Each structure stands twice: as structure tokens, then as C-alpha cells.
Amino acid sequence: MSKNSSITEIDQSVQQAHEAFRVFRRINSKQRAAFMHAVANEIEALGPELIATAQLETNLPAARLVGEKARTVFQWRSYADALDSVLDIRIDTADASRTPPKPDLRKTAVGLGVVAIFGASNFPFAFSTAGGDTASAMAAGCPVIVKTHPGHPKTSALMGGAIKVAIQRAGLHPGLFAEVHSDTFEGGQYLVSHPLIKAVGFTGSFTGGKALHDLAAKRPEPIPVFAEMGSVNPVFLLPRRLENAAVDIAKQYLASLTLGVGQFCTNPGILVAPEHAGLRQFLDTLKIGVADTEATPMLHQGIASAYGKNKAALLANTGVTVLAEAPETSPETHGNATIATVKASQFLANDQLGHEVFGPFGLVVTYENAQEAEAIAQTFKGELTATVLAEPEDIDAHQHLIELLTNKCGRILLNGFPTGVEVCYAMQHGGPYPASTDSRFTSVGPDAIKRFLRPLSYQNWPDEYLPDELKNANPLGIWRTVNGALTKEAIQ
Amino acid sequence: MSKNSSITEIDQSVQQAHEAFRVFRRINSKQRAAFMHAVANEIEALGPELIATAQLETNLPAARLVGEKARTVFQWRSYADALDSVLDIRIDTADASRTPPKPDLRKTAVGLGVVAIFGASNFPFAFSTAGGDTASAMAAGCPVIVKTHPGHPKTSALMGGAIKVAIQRAGLHPGLFAEVHSDTFEGGQYLVSHPLIKAVGFTGSFTGGKALHDLAAKRPEPIPVFAEMGSVNPVFLLPRRLENAAVDIAKQYLASLTLGVGQFCTNPGILVAPEHAGLRQFLDTLKIGVADTEATPMLHQGIASAYGKNKAALLANTGVTVLAEAPETSPETHGNATIATVKASQFLANDQLGHEVFGPFGLVVTYENAQEAEAIAQTFKGELTATVLAEPEDIDAHQHLIELLTNKCGRILLNGFPTGVEVCYAMQHGGPYPASTDSRFTSVGPDAIKRFLRPLSYQNWPDEYLPDELKNANPLGIWRTVNGALTKEAIQ
């Protein structure tokens, strides 16, 4: 555990970051992109020590961590390469002949200011100190203060070190990136309340995200908070699909549910299945599969203990029956896959059953007809993902259900499972509240940068005083909307 | 004054709007655009009765209202035509050969749900019932409930009627648009607290905007509020420019300050001028100009009375001297142009002097050197606009000042005045708090639509089930980012 930062230390970090912002916000997108690739290089250069350290601190297997490191490097590189596409440059040139004369207006996007990032425990690389939120904010031209996750302090220090080396080598202001440590709410509270903090990125629990959101909204100057707070990611299995593929789906569902000991925000915690031909086979396959899994160490004891407690609370509800439970070896540290079933009528009568149990726990809700399935869909609030497992005839017969689900999630999947969040342009990782605090943004993919950018219009400035991306010659060679038309051409 | 809507009536309007959303959110962008052009046609068809009614209700001159009507029609048409460009379609196609296989992901943008709009009194057409906020929300596929402005109920009814006729002729759900009336805070409060309301657009005072923002943040499901709350729009006059053009600038400043009786959110309420050659001439020209203006009726008595009160409060501060005041004819209804001066040292010592006085009131703050000018710039919070009046050598000598201003506003002007908010792609009408509640969005220009859209990703859906804008063939013929590259081509 790192020593908690004092209030004075946090204040100094923020002040220095604000100072760094003065220059960083003005370097152009190509220069920012070059810096981001330099960070990627430094992370890549972190050797076996990184993996070994993270393994010790998180209990995650080496292969997973090697993959996550590559993902993290890819985030820095792909956000850097995509930077120009999120600036959304709009130029409307002057028309002196109009009455009144039309001014020359050119809109770019600039960083909001110093950003506070709160990393997650379940992705020590990709969603923590040097994770996607930090990469997004720096891509936007914002200095970053990371409130490190107390679950993996040494991993955090290694990753933060890579960013600092890149800053130093690039000759940028050292205040551009800093870590602060706090294992109480006070440190984070002070950080989010600091007048020079202009935005917050958070990945974690609903309780944590909501606390930061509420705090930021109450500041004298409210600031945007993008908190990704997980969800139950409902999976709707439709009748023909169940009939045709009960065994395969059971195996795939179990694989998704237990991946990473269920410690994913896109973990499919609730599967809604019809009381239809194939259900018995589906459940039996799950049962056999669960019996075959071994309890696995969770990220830390707090998570393992919460898993046990939340699971027990859910199982205590009327009508909930344990279908299968993997042997419980060391409940204080390990999570054992567990699947329970409940009838739709019971599920609909008790809103406790819709709560997320973070870990390898699945609740199979069985429904008798489309009306029940729709009623279940109605109970969900905002979700990161919703999944439909269906044959074409199922889709045609369940249009209203699919529409309901589409309206409640950020990503809708067909015949797949939601774990595995691709880092790409088309990813939406976010969703209506409480999946995230602002459904208009994503925390994965280059569009995540938009959370930390604001538009800025220049009116009637001569070319030489404009930022590069707005100059007539288009020296950065980027796509721009000029008088309504997308083009890479220079302006004559 | 329209009769206040009952809580039951408001609830029914919201319920019906939610019902209308089910279909409206799914019609494609071309169909929504066609509907918006139909609304524009209906507004255009409103004859002299509209202008006459608005004249009576707002005291605005006919020529201004004719212009504002054209602007309003243009907003509906240009947002309709720009719709595809704000959807930001991103498609990443599958790669089955990769390990793990890369899914097919396609991201579009969908409406948030039913939107509540609070119009402004100072633009009875362009920022009220059928104004830019309503056009933006409907462009996004959102039904709209307008809380009508009590200042112009008949104008509102005519404009709302035009939207309703267009809905009926298009055969759309009648719940798509409704007006509710309330001259107390309760009606608006109920509306913003309604669980089926998913976003709010507001143009008006800081007090009103902040109240709605805070209310929305405290809901069980917080929702985004874009409130544009005006600002003082500081204008910085730099020494060489003053020396070269004192008389012209004084005339232009006065014209901008008194345009529309100063009732614009971009009214340049504070001008910061150097104690330099030309200042006397500048002030003398203002003095003569002000003496030549006549007091003019303001929008309503409440605004005229607030103008008198706020101006008197500001003038009562130590060091503030009246430079010129137009004759005060009927202070209970009219606003008389007034300009006062204050030295930088006094301005810096008293934060009351930075407050907006809504109306034709200008405060000229005089500074001795660049350091004072920068100190004044530091005092401003978020602003819609900041303006620099400068020769090239002034710009070179005041880089830090310009950087400070750029960091505090949504639009930075050179050698112009901020009144006159062009409706175009490149406009940013918004700014850091308290100019608006979210600096990442604009309320003017097609990008205003983005306030009411959220991304939605489809993973692995066959072509026939995708919305038109995501289909392989690109049937809408729009620009899309496919595997990282902008193209209008179909996907093979």
C-alpha cells in the first residue's frame, strides 16, 4: 500500500498539472500523438517485472496480463492515430457579400483542463493508471492526476513511471502526469472538489461512481464525470435458438460468465431463457460445466468477500434455487462459479433479483411467453450491453423485446457474449444510467477522447494565428468539414 | 398568459411523448430530415399574424422578427440537412482469422428519449417553442415537451401549432410534441423530475439554468441538462488598435451593445481598454453616441425593472463612474443605454463588478499595462465569447492574455463584436460554466443535435436487421468511418 498523499501534496500535483496544461493544450494533434506513441513504447519496454508484479497484486494469470498489456499499448497507439478524427474540425469561410457579412468561423476542440482519473481494480493495466481513461484525457490535451487503486500500488507505480519517462524524454512539463494515493474517500473527494480539476473519469462500482458524480455536480463549478459503473448485461435466449443449440449456448455462456473469475463490467450476470424445448438440456449442461470449474482467486480479499456476501443475499430470496455451485475451496480469497434459477413471476415480483453480483455468478430467469420476456426486459435500468441469442424467426417474432433492450443499453449483441470489449472506433462502452453517468460518451475506443474535449470557435482570425488544424493549407492533412463538405483539401 | 398546466396534464404529455418515441427513434435520418423540412415549411407559412403577435408580446421591432423567423426556418432546414454528419457512424468489420475473432461492430447514434425544452424570452422564435433546442432534439429523434415562456404565449401557440400541423400531415404520433404552461417553478420542476424525461435544454438566466441543472443531477436517474446562461462576453481592446481606430471601435461597440436593447446572451457587457493614446477619443465618441440613442421598450416589464435595478446596484460600487446615459423616458418599460467606467485596480478589488447586467449597459474597465489586462482576464469565469480588438503587433505582444481568454470561452473573436451568432457548422454557442452547464456542447449550429444523441453499437447483427445508416450498401449514401477510414462506399 502506498502512503496516502497529503492534501498539500494533492494540491501541488493539481497546481503543477494546471501549469503543464498551458503548454500541453496548445501543441498540435500530431505532436500529442507522437507523445502517446512514446508512452506506448515505454509501456512496451516494461519487462517481465510488470507482469510478475501485477500477478502478485491482482491474482490474475500471466497470460491474461500479457494480453492486457498489449491491449493497453494498443489503446495509446490507436487513440493517438485516431486523434484527428475526434477533433471534428468545422470551417465556414467568410462571405463579405452577404448582408450582414458572414464571418469566418473555424471550430476545433481543446482539452477541458486537468482531469482526475480513478482506475479500476479488475484491469490493472487497461483501466487503471495508464489505462484508457488516462490515454483519452492526454489525447485530448489534458494533464492527468490518477488516484491510484490501492489494490495494485506497485503495478501502478511501474505504469505511472512509464508515462513519466515519456514526458521527460519529450521535454514536456513534469506536471503533466501525477499519481496521488488515498485509501479513504477524503483524498478522492478533495481531488474532485479542487477548482482546477475540470473533469473526472472513473471505472468501478455504482457506489463509488455515484459518489463522485454527485460531488462534482455540487461544486460551485460543476464538472463532467464519466463514471462507468458496470451492469448485469442481460442475455435473452429466444425459443428457436434454445431448441437448436442448447448445449453450445450453455458452454459459451459459462465460459463468458467465468472468464476472469467473472470480474468484468460486461459479465453476463442474468440470462433470460424460455421454458421451451431444450431448457432442460441447457440447464443440465450448465450444471455439468459448473461442477467442472475450480474456484479461482479473485482480485483481492475484499472482492472475494463481497462476492460471497452478495451471492448469499441473492440466493436467500424466495424462489431462487441453486442450479450448480463449483466447490468452495477458500471463500476468503476465491470465487466459485455459481448458477441459480428463478421463474419470471418471482423475478418480476422482487427487484432485489436484478442487482449485480460482481463475480462468476449467473442467474437464469425462465419465462413462459414473450410477454413475460418483455416484462423482464422492462425491469432493467441502463446497461452497458444487452444480448439476444436468436434465430432469424426469433428476431422477427420478438421485435418489441429487442426494441426495449436496444433502448436500455450502449451495445446490443446478437449470438455472442458481451465479455471481450473490442478497442475500436465502433465500440460503445457506456450506457444509460446507472451503467454510466452519461450515455452520450464511451470509455473504450478512440471516441473516449471526446469526454475531455470541448469545441472552441475562432471568428475572423488571420491564418497565421490559427491553430494548425484550422489553417487554410491544412498542414496536418486531416479531414475537415469545410462549408458543409468533408474534405482534406486546402482552403483557397 | 396561458392557463397553467396541471400536473396530470404534464404527466399525460410526457407519457404520450414517450409512446411517440418508440416509433420516432427508429425512423431513419432522411425521414427525420423530411419531417424537419415540413416543420420549416409550416413556420414559413405563418403569415403576418405571427410577426404582429410577437411584436405585441415582445416589443421587438418587425424587421428584427422577420429576420428571426427566417433564422428559425433556416435552423430547421440546416439541421435537417446536416443530420447525417452528426451521427458519426463508425463501422469496424469482422475478422474471423484473428485470435480471438474480431466481431463486427457498427455504431450509430440514437435519441436519448423525451426532451424538456425551456425557451428564452429574448428570441421568441429562434430560442423558444420552435427554436434551435426543439429542432436539435427532434433531429436527434427525440419527442419534445416545451415549457412555454410566459412572456409570449400567443407567439408560442402559433409556433407550436406549426409543428403540430407538420406532425399530423406526416402521419406521426401526435405525442411527438407538446407544450406545457407554468408561470411558477413547480411546473418546470415536475417536468424535469419526470422519470420519462431524459434530457433538458434551457436558454435563459443563470438562476434558472442552475436550478434545473441541480434538480436534474439529483434525480434517481440523473439526466443531462444543457443550459445556456449568458455571460458578460469581455472585449479586450489593445493599445495599437485603440490608437489606430478609436472612433470606429467606439461606434461599433455601441452598436453591438445596444442591438436589441442589449438583450442578447452575447451582449458585450464589459470592454477592457488601455490607458493609452486614443482612450479619450474612444470615450468621447461613446459619450456622444450614447446621448444620441433613445430608450427603447424591453421585452417585458420584468426585464426593464431588473435592468434598472441591476444597473443601479452596479453603479453604486466604489470607483464606478457614469460616462454617459441615454435619457430615461419610461424606466418601467424601457431600457436606456448606459456606459460607465472603472479603473482596473477598482475592478480587481470588487468581484461584484464582473456581474452581467442584462440590457444595454456597458462597463469600460481601463488598464495601465499588460499585467493588469491579464489580471482582469483572470477574473472572468466561463464565457460564451471573448473578443480581442488588436493590430498584429498587439497580438504578438499579448500572447498570454489571448491564451487566458481562449481558455475561458467557447468562441474567440478578433476585431469584431460577439452579437450576431451565425447558424453554421463552425459555431460554438456555449462555454465553460457558468456560460453553460456543459462546455462540450453547443446550442447553435447542427452540432447542437449532439446534445440529445447517444451512441449505440450493434455487434454481429446481420445486415437486414441493422438500421439503414449501418447497412453494408450504405443506402443513405452518407459518410461513414469504415475500419478507420472515412468513406461513402458500400461495404463488400
Side-chain angles (χ1 to χ4, degrees), chain B residues 276-307:
Chain B
H276 186 86
L279 180 62
R280 196 65 263 158
Q281 200 181 15
F282 174 73
L283 295 174
D284 286 347
T285 310
L286 282 180
K287 205 165 171 174
I288 296 164
V290 168
D292 263 3
T293 67
E294 284 182 14
T296 320
M298 298 190 81
L299 289 158
H300 55 79
Q301 292 205 359
I303 285 190
S305 135
Y307 175 64

Side-chain angles (χ1 to χ4, degrees), chain A residues 378-392:
Chain A
Q378 291 276 21
T379 67
F380 295 112
K381 294 177 183 159
E383 298 286 339
L384 292 171
T385 70
T387 300
V388 180
L389 305 177
E391 302 293 346

